[in-house]
Amino acid sequence: MAAATSVESTAPSSAVGGAPAARPSTAIDRAITEYLQHMGVERGLALNTLSAYRRDLTRYSRYLAEAGCRRPDQITRHHVTGYVRALTDGSDGGTALGVRSAARTVVAVRGLHKFWALEGLTATDPASDVHPPMPGKRLPKAISVDEVTRILEATGTETATGLRDRALLEFLYSTGARISEAVGLDVDDISLQEADAGPAIVRLFGKGSKERLVPLGSYGARALDAYLVRARPLLAAKGKGTPALFLNARGGRISRQSAWTILNAAAEKANITQDVSPHTLRHSFATHLLEGGADVRVVQELLGHASVTTTQVYTLVTADTLREIYAAAHPRALG
C-alpha cells in the first residue's frame, strides 16, 4: 500500500475528483484514492464523474470504518451487501438514496473492488456478485379505447396531410409498431391485397433489423388505402421519388419528431389531458389486446419482444380491470 500513499502525496487534487481532499488516514482510504487516480488518469473520467465517485466511496469508507474494517482485505461480501441496504434506508447515518442513485453508487463500489482484485490488493472480489438495486417495473402508460378513438377521429381527412396523419396514427395503434418502425417503412413493406380475405399484412423491422409480420386491422387498412390512393401521390410529387410509405409535406420520409407533433396535435384537439406519445399507442395496443383475451405470447410476437418477460409487464396494467370485472360479476366478491 506504500505506492498508494506515494501517489496521494504527489498527485494534484483534480486527478481524484477536482476538490482538494484530506490526506487518506487508513489503508482503505489510500486504496480508494489510488483507484480514483487510475479512473482519472488511465480511464479519462470527467472531473464531475470523479467527484461523484469520490462522494460515493467516501461514504463507503465511513461505513466500513464503522464496521471495523481498516484494510481492503478485511472486507467481505457481507459488508458490501450491508452497504447496499444502508444506501436505500439510510441506516449508516447518510441520506437514504433513491434506487437509481443507489445503483450508481453500487457501480462505483463494484468497480473499486474489481480494481483492487486486479491490482493484487485483495485476493478476491467480494462485490463481484452483488448487483445494484433494480427499479420497480414501471407500468406502461395506456389510454382507453375511447380516448384512442377520439385521437384518431381528431385527424382531418380533407387534405393530403390530414389523410396521412389519420393513416399513420391508425397504423400505429393497429399494429403496435414502434415509431421508428413505422417511419422506416417503404411502400413495398405492406400488402393490402389480402384485406378482403382477412387482415392485411405488414412487414416490420424491429431492433437489430429483426423482421416480423404483423396483421393490419380493417380500420388501419382503410385509412392506409385512402392515404395511398388520394394523398401520397400528391406528397410524392413534391419530392425525389423516395420509396418511403409515410411522406412529409416536401415529399421526403417523415421523421419521428414529425410523428410526435402529429399525435400531440390530434390529442390536443381530442381534449386528451395526459401526455401522449407514439409509444402510448403501442402500450395501448398491447393492453387492449390482453384485456380482450389475447395470449401474452401472441402479444409478445406482435410487439417484437425478444423475451416474454418484457411483454408480461402489460399484464400488470390489466390487473385493475380484472379486479373491477371480478367485483362486478362474482356473487360473493363484495359483502
Side-chain angles (χ1 to χ4, degrees), residues 163-225:
L163 287 165
R164 178 207 59 200
D165 296 350
R166 179 63 175 268
L168 174 62
L169 299 187
E170 287 275 11
F171 180 88
L172 289 171
Y173 178 62
S174 183
T175 63
R178 301 176 179 91
I179 186 58
S180 58
E181 295 171 343
V183 301
L185 281 173
D186 291 338
V187 174
D188 291 342
D189 293 324
I190 61 172
S191 176
L192 297 180
Q193 296 91 321
E194 302 176 24
D196 293 337
I201 297 297
V202 179
R203 184 172 54 164
L204 296 177
F205 298 91
K207 295 180 178 179
S209 298
K210 185 178 179 181
E211 179 181 335
R212 70 184 187 278
L213 298 179
V214 179
L216 177 67
S218 60
Y219 285 87
R222 285 197 295 270
L224 199 54
D225 183 64

Tab-separated table of all heavy atoms in Angstrom, residues 163-225:
chain	number	residue	atom	x	y	z
A	163	LEU	N	-55.017	13.097	-44.410
A	163	LEU	CA	-55.144	11.674	-44.710
A	163	LEU	C	-53.915	10.900	-44.244
A	163	LEU	O	-54.020	9.780	-43.747
A	163	LEU	CB	-55.356	11.477	-46.211
A	163	LEU	CG	-56.732	11.856	-46.751
A	163	LEU	CD1	-56.697	11.959	-48.272
A	163	LEU	CD2	-57.781	10.830	-46.315
A	164	ARG	N	-52.758	11.511	-44.426
A	164	ARG	CA	-51.520	10.869	-43.953
A	164	ARG	C	-51.520	10.722	-42.436
A	164	ARG	O	-51.167	9.664	-41.900
A	164	ARG	CB	-50.316	11.695	-44.383
A	164	ARG	CG	-48.970	11.147	-43.893
A	164	ARG	CD	-47.952	12.254	-43.749
A	164	ARG	NE	-48.382	13.294	-42.807
A	164	ARG	CZ	-47.895	14.521	-42.768
A	164	ARG	NH1	-46.952	14.896	-43.634
A	164	ARG	NH2	-48.320	15.395	-41.872
A	165	ASP	N	-51.930	11.788	-41.745
A	165	ASP	CA	-51.938	11.750	-40.287
A	165	ASP	C	-52.873	10.658	-39.780
A	165	ASP	O	-52.527	9.904	-38.857
A	165	ASP	CB	-52.369	13.100	-39.727
A	165	ASP	CG	-51.390	14.213	-40.072
A	165	ASP	OD1	-50.299	13.900	-40.578
A	165	ASP	OD2	-51.730	15.389	-39.845
A	166	ARG	N	-54.047	10.560	-40.384
A	166	ARG	CA	-55.007	9.532	-39.960
A	166	ARG	C	-54.428	8.143	-40.217
A	166	ARG	O	-54.522	7.233	-39.376
A	166	ARG	CB	-56.326	9.713	-40.705
A	166	ARG	CG	-57.405	8.683	-40.366
A	166	ARG	CD	-57.809	8.773	-38.890
A	166	ARG	NE	-58.919	7.898	-38.554
A	166	ARG	CZ	-60.201	8.280	-38.586
A	166	ARG	NH1	-60.529	9.514	-38.958
A	166	ARG	NH2	-61.147	7.438	-38.258
A	167	ALA	N	-53.813	7.953	-41.389
A	167	ALA	CA	-53.239	6.658	-41.733
A	167	ALA	C	-52.110	6.288	-40.785
A	167	ALA	O	-52.002	5.141	-40.330
A	167	ALA	CB	-52.741	6.668	-43.177
A	168	LEU	N	-51.274	7.257	-40.451
A	168	LEU	CA	-50.135	6.992	-39.572
A	168	LEU	C	-50.600	6.580	-38.182
A	168	LEU	O	-50.116	5.585	-37.622
A	168	LEU	CB	-49.248	8.236	-39.484
A	168	LEU	CG	-48.090	8.165	-38.486
A	168	LEU	CD1	-47.122	7.056	-38.856
A	168	LEU	CD2	-47.365	9.515	-38.407
A	169	LEU	N	-51.541	7.327	-37.607
A	169	LEU	CA	-51.994	7.025	-36.252
A	169	LEU	C	-52.803	5.734	-36.207
A	169	LEU	O	-52.681	4.944	-35.262
A	169	LEU	CB	-52.802	8.196	-35.694
A	169	LEU	CG	-52.040	9.528	-35.584
A	169	LEU	CD1	-52.892	10.565	-34.872
A	169	LEU	CD2	-50.712	9.341	-34.861
A	170	GLU	N	-53.635	5.507	-37.220
A	170	GLU	CA	-54.361	4.236	-37.293
A	170	GLU	C	-53.371	3.077	-37.395
A	170	GLU	O	-53.555	2.023	-36.779
A	170	GLU	CB	-55.293	4.226	-38.513
A	170	GLU	CG	-56.535	5.095	-38.385
A	170	GLU	CD	-57.687	4.394	-37.685
A	170	GLU	OE1	-57.469	3.308	-37.108
A	170	GLU	OE2	-58.814	4.940	-37.720
A	171	PHE	N	-52.316	3.276	-38.158
A	171	PHE	CA	-51.317	2.242	-38.349
A	171	PHE	C	-50.617	1.923	-37.028
A	171	PHE	O	-50.430	0.752	-36.670
A	171	PHE	CB	-50.286	2.692	-39.390
A	171	PHE	CG	-49.205	1.685	-39.659
A	171	PHE	CD1	-49.386	0.712	-40.625
A	171	PHE	CD2	-48.013	1.711	-38.940
A	171	PHE	CE1	-48.395	-0.236	-40.859
A	171	PHE	CE2	-47.026	0.777	-39.171
A	171	PHE	CZ	-47.214	-0.201	-40.141
A	172	LEU	N	-50.212	2.959	-36.297
A	172	LEU	CA	-49.504	2.742	-35.031
A	172	LEU	C	-50.366	1.965	-34.038
A	172	LEU	O	-49.881	1.038	-33.372
A	172	LEU	CB	-49.097	4.089	-34.425
A	172	LEU	CG	-47.971	4.839	-35.134
A	172	LEU	CD1	-47.828	6.244	-34.549
A	172	LEU	CD2	-46.651	4.081	-35.012
A	173	TYR	N	-51.634	2.319	-33.950
A	173	TYR	CA	-52.497	1.628	-32.992
A	173	TYR	C	-52.898	0.242	-33.488
A	173	TYR	O	-53.030	-0.695	-32.707
A	173	TYR	CB	-53.752	2.461	-32.714
A	173	TYR	CG	-54.706	1.784	-31.755
A	173	TYR	CD1	-54.332	1.493	-30.449
A	173	TYR	CD2	-55.990	1.436	-32.161
A	173	TYR	CE1	-55.203	0.867	-29.577
A	173	TYR	CE2	-56.870	0.805	-31.288
A	173	TYR	CZ	-56.475	0.525	-30.003
A	173	TYR	OH	-57.332	-0.111	-29.139
A	174	SER	N	-53.057	0.081	-34.775
A	174	SER	CA	-53.494	-1.194	-35.327
A	174	SER	C	-52.413	-2.258	-35.272
A	174	SER	O	-52.704	-3.449	-35.132
A	174	SER	CB	-53.953	-1.013	-36.780
A	174	SER	OG	-54.451	-2.229	-37.311
A	175	THR	N	-51.151	-1.843	-35.367
A	175	THR	CA	-50.047	-2.811	-35.415
A	175	THR	C	-49.208	-2.849	-34.145
A	175	THR	O	-48.455	-3.802	-33.942
A	175	THR	CB	-49.103	-2.489	-36.592
A	175	THR	OG1	-48.512	-1.195	-36.372
A	175	THR	CG2	-49.856	-2.484	-37.909
A	176	GLY	N	-49.289	-1.811	-33.320
A	176	GLY	CA	-48.416	-1.752	-32.154
A	176	GLY	C	-46.973	-1.478	-32.517
A	176	GLY	O	-46.056	-1.741	-31.730
A	177	ALA	N	-46.739	-0.934	-33.696
A	177	ALA	CA	-45.377	-0.699	-34.170
A	177	ALA	C	-44.691	0.394	-33.363
A	177	ALA	O	-45.330	1.321	-32.871
A	177	ALA	CB	-45.396	-0.308	-35.643
A	178	ARG	N	-43.391	0.258	-33.208
A	178	ARG	CA	-42.588	1.363	-32.679
A	178	ARG	C	-42.598	2.485	-33.709
A	178	ARG	O	-42.698	2.236	-34.916
A	178	ARG	CB	-41.153	0.916	-32.408
A	178	ARG	CG	-41.015	-0.242	-31.427
A	178	ARG	CD	-39.557	-0.654	-31.305
A	178	ARG	NE	-39.371	-1.752	-30.353
A	178	ARG	CZ	-39.386	-3.044	-30.675
A	178	ARG	NH1	-39.581	-3.405	-31.941
A	178	ARG	NH2	-39.202	-3.980	-29.762
A	179	ILE	N	-42.429	3.723	-33.263
A	179	ILE	CA	-42.473	4.829	-34.203
A	179	ILE	C	-41.335	4.727	-35.214
A	179	ILE	O	-41.492	5.050	-36.390
A	179	ILE	CB	-42.441	6.188	-33.461
A	179	ILE	CG1	-42.643	7.333	-34.443
A	179	ILE	CG2	-41.176	6.359	-32.674
A	179	ILE	CD1	-43.931	7.264	-35.237
A	180	SER	N	-40.162	4.238	-34.765
A	180	SER	CA	-39.035	4.080	-35.691
A	180	SER	C	-39.353	3.052	-36.765
A	180	SER	O	-38.911	3.180	-37.914
A	180	SER	CB	-37.776	3.673	-34.930
A	180	SER	OG	-37.986	2.470	-34.208
A	181	GLU	N	-40.112	2.029	-36.404
A	181	GLU	CA	-40.501	1.012	-37.385
A	181	GLU	C	-41.476	1.587	-38.405
A	181	GLU	O	-41.384	1.300	-39.598
A	181	GLU	CB	-41.135	-0.182	-36.675
A	181	GLU	CG	-40.173	-0.942	-35.766
A	181	GLU	CD	-40.864	-1.989	-34.905
A	181	GLU	OE1	-42.108	-1.926	-34.757
A	181	GLU	OE2	-40.161	-2.851	-34.367
A	182	ALA	N	-42.409	2.408	-37.924
A	182	ALA	CA	-43.426	2.971	-38.821
A	182	ALA	C	-42.815	3.948	-39.816
A	182	ALA	O	-43.081	3.868	-41.021
A	182	ALA	CB	-44.524	3.652	-38.011
A	183	VAL	N	-41.994	4.875	-39.330
A	183	VAL	CA	-41.442	5.875	-40.249
A	183	VAL	C	-40.385	5.267	-41.160
A	183	VAL	O	-40.053	5.840	-42.202
A	183	VAL	CB	-40.854	7.086	-39.482
A	183	VAL	CG1	-41.915	7.759	-38.632
A	183	VAL	CG2	-39.659	6.680	-38.630
A	184	GLY	N	-39.862	4.102	-40.792
A	184	GLY	CA	-38.866	3.451	-41.631
A	184	GLY	C	-39.460	2.567	-42.714
A	184	GLY	O	-38.721	2.014	-43.537
A	185	LEU	N	-40.779	2.434	-42.745
A	185	LEU	CA	-41.428	1.569	-43.726
A	185	LEU	C	-41.347	2.137	-45.143
A	185	LEU	O	-41.418	3.348	-45.349
A	185	LEU	CB	-42.900	1.379	-43.372
A	185	LEU	CG	-43.243	0.381	-42.265
A	185	LEU	CD1	-44.728	0.470	-41.955
A	185	LEU	CD2	-42.855	-1.026	-42.669
A	186	ASP	N	-41.240	1.222	-46.107
A	186	ASP	CA	-41.391	1.563	-47.517
A	186	ASP	C	-42.725	1.023	-48.001
A	186	ASP	O	-43.328	0.141	-47.364
A	186	ASP	CB	-40.250	0.962	-48.341
A	186	ASP	CG	-38.910	1.623	-48.048
A	186	ASP	OD1	-38.918	2.770	-47.565
A	186	ASP	OD2	-37.867	0.984	-48.298
A	187	VAL	N	-43.173	1.512	-49.123
A	187	VAL	CA	-44.468	1.080	-49.673
A	187	VAL	C	-44.502	-0.423	-49.880
A	187	VAL	O	-45.513	-1.086	-49.643
A	187	VAL	CB	-44.762	1.819	-50.995
A	187	VAL	CG1	-46.029	1.269	-51.640
A	187	VAL	CG2	-44.904	3.319	-50.740
A	188	ASP	N	-43.390	-1.011	-50.296
A	188	ASP	CA	-43.348	-2.441	-50.579
A	188	ASP	C	-43.425	-3.309	-49.331
A	188	ASP	O	-43.539	-4.534	-49.443
A	188	ASP	CB	-42.064	-2.790	-51.348
A	188	ASP	CG	-42.061	-2.221	-52.759
A	188	ASP	OD1	-43.153	-1.876	-53.239
A	188	ASP	OD2	-40.974	-2.116	-53.354
A	189	ASP	N	-43.362	-2.689	-48.156
A	189	ASP	CA	-43.405	-3.463	-46.918
A	189	ASP	C	-44.821	-3.805	-46.481
A	189	ASP	O	-45.009	-4.509	-45.475
A	189	ASP	CB	-42.709	-2.698	-45.789
A	189	ASP	CG	-41.223	-2.562	-46.014
A	189	ASP	OD1	-40.614	-3.506	-46.553
A	189	ASP	OD2	-40.656	-1.501	-45.668
A	190	ILE	N	-45.822	-3.308	-47.187
A	190	ILE	CA	-47.211	-3.597	-46.817
A	190	ILE	C	-47.901	-4.336	-47.947
A	190	ILE	O	-47.529	-4.229	-49.119
A	190	ILE	CB	-47.987	-2.306	-46.487
A	190	ILE	CG1	-48.027	-1.375	-47.697
A	190	ILE	CG2	-47.381	-1.605	-45.287
A	190	ILE	CD1	-48.924	-0.182	-47.503
A	191	SER	N	-48.900	-5.121	-47.582
A	191	SER	CA	-49.670	-5.882	-48.565
A	191	SER	C	-51.142	-5.742	-48.228
A	191	SER	O	-51.665	-6.449	-47.363
A	191	SER	CB	-49.241	-7.355	-48.547
A	191	SER	OG	-50.034	-8.120	-49.427
A	192	LEU	N	-51.810	-4.801	-48.895
A	192	LEU	CA	-53.227	-4.559	-48.627
A	192	LEU	C	-54.141	-5.451	-49.446
A	192	LEU	O	-55.345	-5.473	-49.224
A	192	LEU	CB	-53.560	-3.087	-48.906
A	192	LEU	CG	-52.844	-2.053	-48.034
A	192	LEU	CD1	-53.269	-0.648	-48.418
A	192	LEU	CD2	-53.125	-2.303	-46.560
A	193	GLN	N	-53.589	-6.211	-50.382
A	193	GLN	CA	-54.428	-7.040	-51.245
A	193	GLN	C	-55.192	-8.098	-50.471
A	193	GLN	O	-56.248	-8.543	-50.895
A	193	GLN	CB	-53.569	-7.740	-52.317
A	193	GLN	CG	-52.901	-6.779	-53.294
A	193	GLN	CD	-51.519	-6.363	-52.817
A	193	GLN	OE1	-51.319	-6.147	-51.621
A	193	GLN	NE2	-50.585	-6.242	-53.741
A	194	GLU	N	-54.642	-8.497	-49.298
A	194	GLU	CA	-55.282	-9.548	-48.521
A	194	GLU	C	-56.375	-9.018	-47.599
A	194	GLU	O	-56.989	-9.774	-46.875
A	194	GLU	CB	-54.224	-10.269	-47.679
A	194	GLU	CG	-53.100	-10.870	-48.514
A	194	GLU	CD	-52.022	-11.484	-47.630
A	194	GLU	OE1	-52.350	-11.848	-46.492
A	194	GLU	OE2	-50.877	-11.595	-48.078
A	195	ALA	N	-56.623	-7.735	-47.653
A	195	ALA	CA	-57.550	-7.139	-46.699
A	195	ALA	C	-58.959	-7.693	-46.831
A	195	ALA	O	-59.687	-7.801	-45.849
A	195	ALA	CB	-57.573	-5.624	-46.865
A	196	ASP	N	-59.402	-8.070	-48.068
A	196	ASP	CA	-60.751	-8.583	-48.246
A	196	ASP	C	-60.922	-9.969	-47.626
A	196	ASP	O	-61.979	-10.293	-47.092
A	196	ASP	CB	-61.093	-8.640	-49.739
A	196	ASP	CG	-61.184	-7.255	-50.355
A	196	ASP	OD1	-61.423	-6.296	-49.592
A	196	ASP	OD2	-60.999	-7.122	-51.575
A	197	ALA	N	-59.883	-10.787	-47.717
A	197	ALA	CA	-59.960	-12.137	-47.176
A	197	ALA	C	-59.675	-12.179	-45.685
A	197	ALA	O	-60.034	-13.118	-44.997
A	197	ALA	CB	-58.987	-13.046	-47.920
A	198	GLY	N	-59.038	-11.191	-45.174
A	198	GLY	CA	-58.641	-11.151	-43.769
A	198	GLY	C	-57.756	-9.942	-43.548
A	198	GLY	O	-57.596	-9.112	-44.436
A	199	PRO	N	-57.176	-9.840	-42.387
A	199	PRO	CA	-56.311	-8.690	-42.109
A	199	PRO	C	-55.174	-8.582	-43.110
A	199	PRO	O	-54.601	-9.586	-43.539
A	199	PRO	CB	-55.786	-8.979	-40.693
A	199	PRO	CG	-56.787	-9.900	-40.096
A	199	PRO	CD	-57.294	-10.741	-41.229
A	200	ALA	N	-54.870	-7.349	-43.486
A	200	ALA	CA	-53.712	-7.123	-44.340
A	200	ALA	C	-52.445	-7.438	-43.547
A	200	ALA	O	-52.480	-7.589	-42.331
A	200	ALA	CB	-53.698	-5.674	-44.822
A	201	ILE	N	-51.339	-7.561	-44.246
A	201	ILE	CA	-50.083	-7.938	-43.612
A	201	ILE	C	-49.056	-6.826	-43.790
A	201	ILE	O	-48.920	-6.255	-44.870
A	201	ILE	CB	-49.536	-9.249	-44.196
A	201	ILE	CG1	-50.505	-10.397	-43.921
A	201	ILE	CG2	-48.164	-9.567	-43.620
A	201	ILE	CD1	-50.698	-10.701	-42.437
A	202	VAL	N	-48.343	-6.532	-42.720
A	202	VAL	CA	-47.288	-5.528	-42.751
A	202	VAL	C	-45.984	-6.184	-42.313
A	202	VAL	O	-45.970	-6.988	-41.377
A	202	VAL	CB	-47.610	-4.357	-41.804
A	202	VAL	CG1	-46.492	-3.326	-41.817
A	202	VAL	CG2	-48.927	-3.704	-42.189
A	203	ARG	N	-44.914	-5.844	-42.992
A	203	ARG	CA	-43.599	-6.353	-42.622
A	203	ARG	C	-42.861	-5.259	-41.853
A	203	ARG	O	-42.589	-4.184	-42.393
A	203	ARG	CB	-42.819	-6.740	-43.880
A	203	ARG	CG	-41.479	-7.377	-43.605
A	203	ARG	CD	-40.866	-7.911	-44.871
A	203	ARG	NE	-40.788	-6.898	-45.918
A	203	ARG	CZ	-40.021	-7.011	-47.001
A	203	ARG	NH1	-39.293	-8.081	-47.177
A	203	ARG	NH2	-40.002	-6.051	-47.899
A	204	LEU	N	-42.559	-5.536	-40.582
A	204	LEU	CA	-41.875	-4.566	-39.737
A	204	LEU	C	-40.447	-5.025	-39.457
A	204	LEU	O	-40.169	-6.219	-39.395
A	204	LEU	CB	-42.611	-4.383	-38.410
A	204	LEU	CG	-44.031	-3.802	-38.478
A	204	LEU	CD1	-44.649	-3.758	-37.081
A	204	LEU	CD2	-44.024	-2.412	-39.099
A	205	PHE	N	-39.566	-4.047	-39.284
A	205	PHE	CA	-38.173	-4.343	-38.982
A	205	PHE	C	-37.854	-3.724	-37.619
A	205	PHE	O	-37.751	-2.511	-37.480
A	205	PHE	CB	-37.254	-3.768	-40.062
A	205	PHE	CG	-37.521	-4.358	-41.421
A	205	PHE	CD1	-38.430	-3.752	-42.287
A	205	PHE	CD2	-36.891	-5.524	-41.812
A	205	PHE	CE1	-38.697	-4.297	-43.535
A	205	PHE	CE2	-37.152	-6.081	-43.054
A	205	PHE	CZ	-38.055	-5.470	-43.915
A	206	GLY	N	-37.729	-4.591	-36.606
A	206	GLY	CA	-37.542	-4.135	-35.243
A	206	GLY	C	-36.096	-3.941	-34.872
A	206	GLY	O	-35.224	-3.736	-35.729
A	207	LYS	N	-35.813	-4.044	-33.569
A	207	LYS	CA	-34.460	-3.844	-33.072
A	207	LYS	C	-33.541	-4.919	-33.639
A	207	LYS	O	-33.896	-6.092	-33.710
A	207	LYS	CB	-34.450	-3.884	-31.540
A	207	LYS	CG	-35.231	-2.733	-30.906
A	207	LYS	CD	-35.193	-2.793	-29.396
A	207	LYS	CE	-35.934	-1.617	-28.784
A	207	LYS	NZ	-35.939	-1.659	-27.304
A	208	GLY	N	-32.359	-4.484	-34.051
A	208	GLY	CA	-31.422	-5.405	-34.667
A	208	GLY	C	-31.849	-5.840	-36.052
A	208	GLY	O	-31.410	-6.874	-36.549
A	209	SER	N	-32.733	-5.028	-36.684
A	209	SER	CA	-33.242	-5.323	-38.033
A	209	SER	C	-33.982	-6.659	-38.090
A	209	SER	O	-34.080	-7.271	-39.159
A	209	SER	CB	-32.097	-5.307	-39.057
A	209	SER	OG	-31.493	-4.030	-39.117
A	210	LYS	N	-34.476	-7.116	-36.949
A	210	LYS	CA	-35.229	-8.363	-36.921
A	210	LYS	C	-36.598	-8.157	-37.562
A	210	LYS	O	-37.349	-7.263	-37.183
A	210	LYS	CB	-35.392	-8.842	-35.478
A	210	LYS	CG	-36.062	-10.200	-35.364
A	210	LYS	CD	-36.149	-10.645	-33.915
A	210	LYS	CE	-36.843	-12.001	-33.802
A	210	LYS	NZ	-36.950	-12.424	-32.384
A	211	GLU	N	-36.913	-8.978	-38.530
A	211	GLU	CA	-38.157	-8.822	-39.296
A	211	GLU	C	-39.290	-9.622	-38.658
A	211	GLU	O	-39.088	-10.724	-38.143
A	211	GLU	CB	-37.930	-9.309	-40.736
A	211	GLU	CG	-39.160	-9.224	-41.611
A	211	GLU	CD	-38.909	-9.727	-43.026
A	211	GLU	OE1	-37.734	-9.686	-43.464
A	211	GLU	OE2	-39.871	-10.157	-43.688
A	212	ARG	N	-40.490	-9.037	-38.680
A	212	ARG	CA	-41.667	-9.772	-38.241
A	212	ARG	C	-42.863	-9.338	-39.077
A	212	ARG	O	-42.887	-8.217	-39.600
A	212	ARG	CB	-41.941	-9.539	-36.757
A	212	ARG	CG	-42.433	-8.156	-36.386
A	212	ARG	CD	-42.580	-8.038	-34.863
A	212	ARG	NE	-43.205	-6.784	-34.446
A	212	ARG	CZ	-42.562	-5.627	-34.312
A	212	ARG	NH1	-41.264	-5.548	-34.601
A	212	ARG	NH2	-43.204	-4.534	-33.908
A	213	LEU	N	-43.829	-10.217	-39.209
A	213	LEU	CA	-45.055	-9.921	-39.950
A	213	LEU	C	-46.177	-9.648	-38.953
A	213	LEU	O	-46.367	-10.405	-37.996
A	213	LEU	CB	-45.430	-11.097	-40.857
A	213	LEU	CG	-44.421	-11.446	-41.947
A	213	LEU	CD1	-44.902	-12.656	-42.755
A	213	LEU	CD2	-44.181	-10.264	-42.872
A	214	VAL	N	-46.895	-8.558	-39.164
A	214	VAL	CA	-47.943	-8.135	-38.237
A	214	VAL	C	-49.222	-7.864	-39.026
A	214	VAL	O	-49.184	-7.222	-40.084
A	214	VAL	CB	-47.520	-6.850	-37.482
A	214	VAL	CG1	-48.614	-6.394	-36.538
A	214	VAL	CG2	-46.231	-7.095	-36.714
A	215	PRO	N	-50.364	-8.350	-38.545
A	215	PRO	CA	-51.638	-8.033	-39.216
A	215	PRO	C	-51.980	-6.555	-39.074
A	215	PRO	O	-51.614	-5.912	-38.096
A	215	PRO	CB	-52.659	-8.904	-38.472
A	215	PRO	CG	-51.854	-9.918	-37.727
A	215	PRO	CD	-50.551	-9.266	-37.415
A	216	LEU	N	-52.706	-6.048	-40.049
A	216	LEU	CA	-53.202	-4.667	-40.019
A	216	LEU	C	-54.721	-4.733	-40.070
A	216	LEU	O	-55.301	-5.242	-41.033
A	216	LEU	CB	-52.658	-3.873	-41.209
A	216	LEU	CG	-53.137	-2.433	-41.352
A	216	LEU	CD1	-52.612	-1.580	-40.207
A	216	LEU	CD2	-52.680	-1.846	-42.695
A	217	GLY	N	-55.381	-4.233	-39.032
A	217	GLY	CA	-56.836	-4.311	-38.955
A	217	GLY	C	-57.534	-3.533	-40.058
A	217	GLY	O	-56.932	-2.729	-40.774
A	218	SER	N	-58.827	-3.753	-40.179
A	218	SER	CA	-59.586	-3.157	-41.276
A	218	SER	C	-59.615	-1.633	-41.211
A	218	SER	O	-59.541	-0.955	-42.243
A	218	SER	CB	-61.018	-3.713	-41.291
A	218	SER	OG	-61.682	-3.418	-40.064
A	219	TYR	N	-59.706	-1.063	-39.991
A	219	TYR	CA	-59.705	0.394	-39.874
A	219	TYR	C	-58.377	0.965	-40.369
A	219	TYR	O	-58.336	1.945	-41.118
A	219	TYR	CB	-59.941	0.823	-38.417
A	219	TYR	CG	-61.362	0.663	-37.947
A	219	TYR	CD1	-61.813	-0.545	-37.420
A	219	TYR	CD2	-62.271	1.723	-38.027
A	219	TYR	CE1	-63.120	-0.703	-36.969
A	219	TYR	CE2	-63.572	1.586	-37.581
A	219	TYR	CZ	-63.993	0.366	-37.050
A	219	TYR	OH	-65.293	0.235	-36.622
A	220	GLY	N	-57.293	0.337	-39.930
A	220	GLY	CA	-55.979	0.782	-40.369
A	220	GLY	C	-55.776	0.594	-41.850
A	220	GLY	O	-55.189	1.452	-42.525
A	221	ALA	N	-56.272	-0.530	-42.383
A	221	ALA	CA	-56.110	-0.810	-43.811
A	221	ALA	C	-56.877	0.196	-44.662
A	221	ALA	O	-56.382	0.671	-45.686
A	221	ALA	CB	-56.571	-2.234	-44.122
A	222	ARG	N	-58.091	0.543	-44.234
A	222	ARG	CA	-58.879	1.516	-44.994
A	222	ARG	C	-58.230	2.899	-44.956
A	222	ARG	O	-58.178	3.602	-45.973
A	222	ARG	CB	-60.308	1.584	-44.451
A	222	ARG	CG	-61.177	0.410	-44.844
A	222	ARG	CD	-62.658	0.714	-44.633
A	222	ARG	NE	-62.967	0.907	-43.223
A	222	ARG	CZ	-63.339	-0.083	-42.404
A	222	ARG	NH1	-63.403	-1.329	-42.859
A	222	ARG	NH2	-63.630	0.165	-41.141
A	223	ALA	N	-57.723	3.293	-43.782
A	223	ALA	CA	-57.069	4.595	-43.677
A	223	ALA	C	-55.800	4.629	-44.520
A	223	ALA	O	-55.505	5.637	-45.176
A	223	ALA	CB	-56.745	4.899	-42.214
A	224	LEU	N	-55.065	3.524	-44.534
A	224	LEU	CA	-53.836	3.464	-45.310
A	224	LEU	C	-54.131	3.451	-46.808
A	224	LEU	O	-53.438	4.112	-47.604
A	224	LEU	CB	-53.047	2.213	-44.918
A	224	LEU	CG	-51.564	2.191	-45.272
A	224	LEU	CD1	-50.856	3.419	-44.718
A	224	LEU	CD2	-50.915	0.922	-44.736
A	225	ASP	N	-55.181	2.752	-47.190
A	225	ASP	CA	-55.556	2.718	-48.605
A	225	ASP	C	-55.981	4.104	-49.085
A	225	ASP	O	-55.603	4.539	-50.185
A	225	ASP	CB	-56.697	1.712	-48.801
A	225	ASP	CG	-57.080	1.570	-50.264
A	225	ASP	OD1	-56.226	1.108	-51.058
A	225	ASP	OD2	-58.224	1.934	-50.621
